[in-house]
Every structure is written in structure tokens, then in C-alpha cells.
Amino acid sequence: MKRYKIDRTLFGLLVAVLFAFSCESLEEQPLGFESSANTFQSIENFEGLVTGATRTLQQIDYYGLTASSQDLETSPEFDTYSYAPGSGTFASLWSSSYKAINGLNAVIENIDLAENGNQSQTDKILGKAYFLRAFAYFNMIRFFGDVPLVLSGSSSLDEIGVDQGRTPSIDVYAQIIDDLEEAEGLLPGSALPGEPTKGAAMAYLSKVYLTMAGAPLKLTENYAKAAAKAKQIIDAETYSLGDYTDNLFASLQNSSNSIIFQFIHSTEAGSSYSNGLFERTSFRNGITNPGSRTWKRFMDNFPDGPRKEAIFYMNSDPVVANFLNEKDANGNFSNEAFRIVNNIGEVNERKYFLKESQEVGLIKKYTYGSEGPEGSLSDQNTVMFRYAEVLLIYAEAQNMADNGANQLAYDALNEVRVRGLGAGTELAFGSLSTSEFDDEIIKERYWEFGFEMKRWFDVLRKQIPLTFDVYTAGVYEEFNAAFPTRYLFPIPQREMDLNDNLTQNDGY
């Protein structure tokens, strides 16, 4: 299928109408144009394109795509990595990503046509466009491997780049790095919540280098680059970890110096602007039928400490406690089965709440917002990058680059570790070999970023052997991870049907 070109002002009008949103209130406000000829004359129109692309990217279900039964109860299709190219999930990820990229390409190609706006405004908008394009391609390449590298506008939002073959990963990564370096030079040091900053571009650069150092590329010289970029952020002292409170993200959302990049949600702007993760993990359908749940074995293995209490619901949490202690008109406990499962009143009473005899618990990380855990909507933001990850990237990358962790690497790991586990849990400098220290980093990432859409990418780049346990008909069934033939997600069948130049990933 051919990809037709049209006049770029007409193209701009098309994407502006589809992508224009207000970045101030998140309420949809279509832009008006006197004619197609003035589409690229207004700096506000370019801002609308960037904001619309942001909205498209934040609605992708990254959470569902990176969950596994190692920690999260989900569908057998994902637990066993037995999904098929025809899955609508992959088609949506692909099309949404390229739709966003298309709008961002329009900004990068045409912002010099804007007749208003000062240099500072232009730089910020262009910096955001470069950052978000890199963000989109970074996710795509980790999910699919080689993907078409589209850097110019198309006349069709549904058929972006359908005539192109797959670009080698190394070339896509080169573009990602170029875009992030451009963004680093253009973006301000601080911005409104949800807007990328210079620090965000630096953080993602460090993560890109770390990823390239691992599988499948294994360009180990990038460990030193990842460590250097992460150290720049640490040395700048712009960010800090923040403290755990009752709910991790509830405490961090209002602590801007612990969050490097996040997507903004608003219940006031309507349901389509609410945080979709809330619906997946909250009590909105009741404790007996909540959204995503975690396995008891993951909760039991999770190290005790402030971090654990900020991530999982305990029996003492008000919503759970009220449920367990509710009585009927006769004075009997209404939910006796749940009391039995959790050993309520017994010597071995469970601290962390189990939903049912299937041994699944409830995740607290995303269940807060203006309407509470039993509401229908949440204004909780989706945190994509925290300062904790910068510290752990530095510790991992420096250790691997220099064949041994230095004092700063131990300090960085311990800063995250002690906050999560409590005082007295720090590791002594020099106590671990290179491989032992690396193992500790990966374990710390597992606990610190549970349910934050990061574990699967760690599995890929570190080639971690996995066994998946799926609860079926009252028993756990064991499945082996499908490596290496299922190392990547399948190219969507729809894209394969439209484009003869695409080839499918191995194993499908």
C-alpha cells in the first residue's frame, strides 16, 4: 500500500484537529482556523499537536503489556506468552504510537513556520516533541525490536509508514539518542507537572544506554555512558527520593522533585482523562471483584518494611477492615469466608489482605484519587520515571562498566534499599562481587518498581530465566518462559497484511 504525500499545511490541519487539546486544564478545546494556510502560523497550534500526542501516548496500556504472573494475576495469554499476532492489544499499541509520532513529526518539520511565539516558547515545544518521539520509539523498539523509522508526516493517521520495512534496531536507537540529546538542549530545567524537562531527557538517555548494553544488542560500552549520564543527574541534586507514606504514589505525586516524568490525569475533565490503572486495581467493583490482583506468593516473598506497606492493602486499612468486620442483622460477620482466608482473630492472622482462597491480594499503589478507592475515577498521575530509577541505573551501570561497584554505587543502592526496608539494611562497601552486586540491583528494581511497567524490560535485557505460575481450576500450573523465540511481541497481523515489506518476529 502506498503512502501518499499531501501539502504539509493541509496535513497540519488534519492532525491539529485530531490532536489538539488544552495543556492547561486537560479539557478538550478544539482549535479554530481561518483557513488551512494559517495552520502552522500559530505557536498555539504546535502546542496543541504536542499535547495531543501526549494524550495518545498516555492512553496506551503499558501496564497490561508488561504484567506477568511473577507478581500480577492476569490472563493466561500473557502469563504464558502465548499471544498471537492478531491480538488487538498489539495493533492498538502500534497504531497509537505511530499516530503520536506522526503529530510530533509535523511539529519538528514545521515549527519554523510559526509567526508568533518567542524563542523560549519555540524551544520548549520542539524539545517536548523530540522527547516524546524518542519516548514512543524507545517503547516500540523494546516491545517489537526492529520497527519502521518514520521521521516525516504522512497523509493518513491510520496507515503511518505502511510502505516501509523494518529499520535495524541500532539505527532506531541512534535516532532515539539524537532526539533525546536535542531535547536535553532545548527543554527547561523545570516545567509544569506532566511536561518533560532537561532532567527527563537525561534520565531517559541513561536508560536507553543501559538498555542497549543488555540483550539483545549487548553493546556493553554503553554501561559507561549510562553511568555518566545518571551521575550528572545525581550530581545536580535536583531530585530526591521522597518518603513512603500510606500510599507510595499518593505521597510522591505532590513531591515533584522525586518524579522525573509522569502523565497527568484529571477527574474534572471527564472519564476519558481519568487514570485507567485505577480501574484495573481499585475496589471500584468491590473487594470481592476488584481489578488486577497480586499473587500471595509475591506478597509473601516481598521484603517487609515501609515499601511493602505502601504497595499492598493490609487488613488494617480502613476499606479492608470495614469489609472484614461488617456484620449482618443477626450480628454475624457478613464476610466470614474472607475472615477465614486471612486467619482473622487467630495467632497467625495475616497482615496483608487476601481476596479469596485463590490466594490473591490487592495492590494499593494506584488506588487513590479524589473519589477514593471505591470511586469510579481517579486523578492520580501515571508515574513513568522516578529518581529512584536514576540511582539504580547508576549503581548497575557503574558496577558493570568498571567490573566492580564504587562507593557512590553502594550509596545509590543503599539510598533506595534503606528507604524501602528500613534502617540497618544497608550493604557494606566492597562486600559484594560484580555479579553479586548486579543481582542485588535487579532484585531491588523488582521490589521498588513492582507494578510500574518495568520488570518485563529488565527480564529482556538481563535475559532472566522465568517460570510462570498460572492458577487454573484450583491448582498452580507451571510454564517455562518462551525464550528466545518469544523474546519480542509479534508484529500486529493488521500491519503485516497491509505492508508486504514487514517481516514477523521469530516464534510466531
Side-chain angles (χ1 to χ4, degrees):
M1 181 174 292
K2 295 182 179 180
R3 179 165 142 261
Y4 296 97
K5 289 282 187 177
I6 59 173
D7 181 84
R8 66 181 186 175
T9 57
L10 286 175
F11 163 69
L13 177 60
L14 171 64
V15 289
V17 169
L18 289 173
F19 281 138
F21 293 87
S22 167
C23 64
E24 296 296 327
S25 65
L26 288 179
E27 293 182 1
E28 193 169 355
Q29 296 178 353
L31 298 175
F33 303 97
E34 295 178 2
S35 68
S36 62
N38 74 355
T39 300
F40 287 133
Q41 291 180 2
S42 171
I43 198 72
E44 290 78 15
N45 292 357
F46 286 104
E47 181 66 45
L49 285 168
V50 171
T51 305
T54 303
R55 286 280 297 144
T56 299
L57 291 172
Q58 81 178 68
Q59 289 175 317
I60 292 174
D61 186 16
Y62 304 107
Y63 182 77
L65 288 166
T66 55
S68 77
S69 61
Q70 283 289 305
D71 49 25
L72 187 70
E73 181 199 22
T74 182
S75 67
E77 177 187 32
F78 281 90
D79 286 338
T80 61
Y81 289 86
S82 58
Y83 31 64
S87 171
T89 301
F90 304 121
S92 177
L93 167 63
W94 183 285
S95 62
S96 293
S97 296
Y98 278 112
K99 284 180 182 180
I101 289 167
N102 200 35
L104 297 167
N105 286 340
V107 174
I108 294 169
E109 287 183 306
N110 299 290
I111 197 168
D112 59 315
L113 300 179
E115 296 179 358
N116 66 321
N118 55 40
Q119 191 63 49
S120 177
Q121 289 175 297
T122 301
D123 287 350
K124 184 177 180 181
I125 292 171
L126 189 57
K128 289 194 290 186
Y130 277 120
F131 174 87
L132 291 170
R133 188 168 73 175
F135 174 88
Y137 273 121
F138 186 42
N139 285 320
M140 287 287 285
I141 202 168
R142 289 183 296 166
F143 281 129
F144 297 111
D146 299 349
V147 294
L149 182 61
V150 182
L151 299 176
S152 61
S154 167
S155 62
S156 171
L157 292 176
D158 291 325
E159 299 168 4
I160 304 303
V162 295
D163 61 343
Q164 293 185 215
R166 300 172 68 176
T167 304
S169 295
I170 191 66
D171 295 329
V172 179
Y173 270 117
Q175 186 63 52
I176 292 170
I177 292 170
D178 285 347
D179 282 359
L180 288 174
E181 288 177 342
E182 290 282 358
E184 181 183 351
L186 291 167
L187 289 170
S190 61
L192 295 172
E195 293 186 323
T197 61
K198 180 186 295 289
M202 295 169 67
Y204 271 96
L205 264 173
S206 70
K207 189 169 184 174
V208 166
Y209 286 132
L210 184 75
T211 302
M212 294 176 71
L217 295 180
K218 297 185 179 180
L219 301 175
T220 56
E221 64 272 20
N222 283 299
Y223 278 125
K225 296 178 182 179
K229 188 58 66 173
K231 188 174 185 299
Q232 282 184 265
I233 301 172
I234 295 170
D235 290 344
E237 299 183 347
T238 303
Y239 303 100
S240 65
L241 277 183
D243 296 322
Y244 285 121
T245 59
D246 178 62
N247 181 296
L248 173 65
F249 286 156
S251 60
L252 293 186
Q253 178 159 312
N254 296 317
S255 177
S256 60
N257 64 347
S258 66
I259 296 175
I260 295 178
F261 182 62
Q262 62 183 327
F263 287 126
I264 302 299
H265 299 281
S266 169
T267 55
E268 294 181 0
S271 60
S272 64
Y273 293 90
S274 176
N275 187 337
L277 292 181
F278 175 74
E279 299 178 13
R280 305 279 293 280
T281 61
S282 72
F283 295 153
R284 66 193 301 263
N285 295 319
I287 290 179
T288 59
N289 186 33
S292 297
R293 298 158 291 192
T294 183
W295 292 113
K296 172 181 179 293
R297 63 184 67 197
F298 181 72
M299 298 170 68
D300 288 346
N301 290 333
F302 201 102
D304 288 333
R307 176 166 53 199
K308 188 171 185 177
E309 297 186 11
I311 292 178
F312 303 112
Y313 273 101
M314 298 181 292
N315 290 337
S316 59
D317 283 308
V319 175
V320 174
N322 290 340
F323 174 80
L324 292 172
N325 295 321
E326 179 185 290
K327 293 184 177 181
D328 59 24
N330 297 319
N332 299 315
F333 288 110
S334 303
N335 301 294
E336 182 64 26
F338 287 84
R339 293 179 63 85
I340 293 172
V341 168
N342 287 278
N343 302 324
I344 303 301
E346 304 293 331
V347 174
N348 61 340
E349 179 176 327
R350 283 191 58 80
K351 185 176 183 180
Y352 299 95
F353 178 71
L354 287 185
K355 172 189 173 287
E356 55 192 11
S357 58
Q358 288 187 350
E359 297 189 325
V360 291
L362 303 182
I363 307 161
K364 188 166 61 174
K365 220 167 192 179
Y366 294 99
T367 53
Y368 93 95
S370 58
E371 297 189 0
E374 295 181 285
S376 298
L377 305 174
S378 173
D379 57 4
Q380 179 180 347
N381 299 333
T382 303
V383 177
M384 302 303 294
F385 211 121
R386 304 194 268 121
Y387 180 59
E389 189 167 8
V390 171
L391 292 171
L392 295 183
I393 286 175
Y394 174 77
E396 179 185 349
Q398 182 279 317
N399 176 59
M400 296 299 291
D402 299 334
N403 196 29
N406 63 18
Q407 181 67 64
L408 180 58
Y410 272 88
D411 291 345
L413 171 56
N414 282 328
E415 189 173 350
V416 179
R417 179 185 176 92
V418 172
R419 183 185 67 157
L421 303 181
T425 60
E426 52 272 335
L427 299 169
F429 173 60
S431 61
L432 301 175
S433 67
T434 301
S435 61
E436 289 171 338
F437 189 85
D438 190 59
D439 288 343
E440 287 297 324
I441 290 290
I442 300 304
K443 284 194 293 186
E444 193 63 33
R445 287 182 61 88
Y446 190 32
W447 306 127
E448 177 68 22
F449 304 123
F451 318 112
E452 291 187 45
M453 305 158 280
K454 300 183 188 297
R455 175 63 176 178
W456 177 236
F457 298 129
D458 287 346
V459 166
L460 296 185
R461 66 185 181 84
K462 304 297 285 191
Q463 294 184 302
I464 300 171
L466 288 181
T467 297
F468 296 94
D469 301 315
V470 181
Y471 190 89
T472 306
V475 297
Y476 287 101
E477 296 183 42
E478 186 173 274
F479 297 87
N480 292 322
F483 290 110
T485 56
R486 288 293 180 95
Y487 195 89
L488 298 167
F489 288 160
I491 303 299
Q493 190 60 49
R494 177 182 181 276
E495 304 302 325
M496 295 290 296
D497 293 340
L498 289 171
N499 182 4
D500 292 337
N501 293 319
L502 288 178
T503 56
Q504 187 57 271
N505 284 325
D506 291 340
Y508 299 99

